[in-house]
Amino acid sequence: MTPQARPSPADPSAPTAAQAPRPEATPGFDARRFKAMERAGFNRIAARYADGAHLRAGLAAALLDAADLAPGQRVLDLASGPGLLAGAAARRVAPGGRVLATDIAEAMLAEGARRCAGETAPPAFAAADAEHLCLPDACMERVLAGLALFIFPHPRHALTEIHRVLVPGGLVALSVWGPRPSVPLIHRAQDCIARLLPPPRVPRPSVFRFGEPAALEDALAAAGFHDIDIRPCTFTCCFDDADAYWQAFLDLAGGVAEALGRLPETTRQALRAAITDDLEPFRDDSGRYRLPARTLIATARRPR
């Protein structure tokens, strides 16, 4: 990994050493191992992740609208995956704008570059760790992070880096999953896994850890952001059958998908079969499944 860049001492809005966010730590948690698993998992599902973009199209559009993009802006998209947000952002900042899509999963970036190849002004793609960005201070007018902040082992490091690379007055726009009960799209599969498999030796960071607006606002404020605005965004995904739902979950799951992929085939089939009962409350009259998901979209500015 590259050395972590530090906020400029001349930046009065940057957190001081005493205020700087500390890493979130769980006994036994290994951030490097966690990132390696996430990288392997997202490399495994790159094409399928991109193919499932239509399920989250409404959320993506809402996030881009919140970012207030305009022609000529320089935009950084963190944990960009296959460039779904980055490609749309590049169209919004044309002409004259530039979008840099970053991720730790190189297969995701390659998939994004392939899919954006026909664009007039496609994003640039670069492997980078959101917690340790090799970018100069104050180089971006906008930073995007769609369903990403909760993935980072130390999200406060990522927020500090976002603050550093934004120009004074620059805006970050990000989305996170809402409170766990409001996201059956995710927690139904998690419940099935927890019921059939033994608990992990070291728990993964929860994807719902910023689901409450107060927790997200506190994290943004601690990183030095002002003018924080957090709004809900709810969407619903429809699936023809339980198998389609399970596959869609795996196509979003990154490191979890990688861990499940290493299980014996019989165990994986048992998980796939068991999910049918868990989904029954969401089955409509046509026999299809409709699962809602509540997210939060936050915007915040680096002070001028």
Side-chain angles (χ1 to χ4, degrees):
M1 296 182 184
T2 56
Q4 181 179 8
R6 303 294 182 185
S8 168
D11 176 10
S13 67
T16 65
Q19 299 168 329
R22 295 182 180 179
E24 301 83 343
T26 299
F29 179 75
D30 185 333
R32 290 191 178 188
R33 183 175 181 180
F34 174 82
K35 289 181 183 181
M37 184 69 82
E38 290 297 308
R39 176 172 170 256
F42 281 110
N43 277 336
R44 176 194 289 258
I45 64 174
R48 295 194 62 93
Y49 186 98
D51 288 341
H54 65 280
L55 296 172
R56 306 175 296 280
L59 174 61
L63 179 59
L64 290 168
D65 289 344
D68 192 25
L69 300 176
Q73 289 175 337
R74 296 163 294 172
V75 180
L76 170 65
D77 184 26
L78 291 178
S80 185
L84 305 175
L85 280 176
R91 292 188 286 275
R92 294 196 183 200
V93 300
R98 293 178 293 164
V99 176
L100 175 62
T102 64
D103 202 284
I104 62 171
E106 66 276 7
M108 280 283 203
L109 297 171
E111 184 69 20
R114 184 182 69 80
R115 292 181 181 238
C116 292
E119 299 284 343
T120 303
F125 291 86
D129 184 337
E131 296 179 5
H132 308 280
L133 292 172
C134 286
L135 290 171
D137 294 354
C139 63
M140 298 288 173
E141 278 92 20
R142 296 288 185 271
V143 175
L144 307 175
L147 296 178
L149 186 64
F150 49 77
I151 297 176
F152 306 141
H154 305 129
R156 295 180 181 180
H157 285 176
L159 289 174
T160 299
E161 283 289 83
I162 291 170
H163 186 283
R164 180 184 66 80
V165 302
L166 278 170
V167 299
L171 188 77
V172 58
L174 60 87
S175 60
V176 297
W177 295 119
R180 190 179 191 278
S182 70
V183 195
L185 178 67
I186 302 297
H187 83 68
R188 284 288 161 162
Q190 291 183 332
D191 291 348
C192 184
I193 293 168
R195 190 173 69 251
L196 269 69
L197 299 182
R201 289 190 297 271
V202 179
R204 292 170 52 86
S206 172
V207 299
F208 305 113
R209 54 180 159 164
F210 295 108
E212 296 296 340
L216 185 54
E217 182 174 5
D218 287 349
L220 287 163
F225 288 99
H226 291 189
D227 300 329
I228 300 169
D229 182 78
I230 301 174
R231 302 185 184 191
C233 177
T234 301
F235 62 98
T236 299
C237 295
C238 298
F239 304 98
D240 289 336
D241 51 40
D243 276 354
Y245 164 78
W246 183 252
Q247 187 61 57
F249 170 75
L250 295 178
D251 294 343
L252 272 174
V256 172
E258 179 67 13
L260 294 177
R262 299 177 182 182
L263 293 173
E265 177 63 22
T266 53
T267 304
R268 286 185 279 133
Q269 289 301 327
L271 286 167
R272 186 179 288 270
I275 196 64
T276 302
D277 291 339
D278 295 62
L279 295 181
E280 190 58 31
F282 302 94
R283 192 174 184 180
D284 64 20
D285 292 340
S286 71
R288 303 182 77 212
Y289 299 95
R290 299 174 58 86
L291 282 91
R294 181 182 176 89
T295 64
L296 300 177
I297 293 179
T299 58
R301 290 191 183 275
R302 173 177 167 171
R304 296 184 183 277

